[in-house]
Amino acid sequence: DFCRAAVDYDVAVPVRAPGNAMTLAEVVRQQESEAVTAYRYHLAAMNVDAWEHRRPELSENECVRSIWRLVCSTYLPQAQAGCQPGQTVGLKRPC
């Protein structure tokens, strides 16, 4: 839910290791959890309380919204056009 409004594209997710029983939904939740952690670290480094910006998409602070978009596009990058499920593709940098 954290990245829902920031991600309006098909995402590429890390390849699961053989024998890893995680579902696609679990992998996406894990990536989103890492995005939340990075978001909180970024705000803490700026001496901004993340608790006051739990819904960054609604924040009036452009810096907060930029960090939110950055971490979401980093941990949930856009899939390359035309890629097939299970196909290995290179990372498309967000910028």
Side-chain angles (χ1 to χ4, degrees):
D1 291 339
F2 178 77
C3 289
R4 182 179 304 261
V7 175
D8 60 353
Y9 49 79
D10 293 331
V11 299
V13 294
V15 175
R16 294 170 287 214
N20 185 337
M22 288 179 74
T23 66
L24 178 59
E26 290 170 332
V27 172
V28 170
R29 272 195 300 278
Q30 179 181 351
Q31 290 301 107
E32 190 169 59
S33 174
E34 291 180 24
V36 169
T37 299
Y39 170 77
R40 290 178 179 162
Y41 282 147
H42 275 73
L43 293 185
M46 296 175 12
N47 202 29
V48 174
D49 187 359
W51 189 254
E52 294 176 5
H53 299 281
R54 290 174 290 176
R55 301 284 311 270
E57 69 275 17
L58 303 177
S59 177
E60 294 180 9
N61 185 323
E62 179 59 34
C63 223
V64 168
R65 288 194 314 271
S66 293
I67 292 167
W68 166 66
R69 286 189 302 268
L70 171 76
V71 298
C72 289
S73 65
T74 299
Y75 288 94
L76 296 166
Q78 183 174 3
Q80 293 179 357
C83 73
Q84 302 299 315
Q87 176 184 358
T88 300
V89 295
L91 173 65
K92 181 178 177 184
R93 296 194 183 274
C95 298

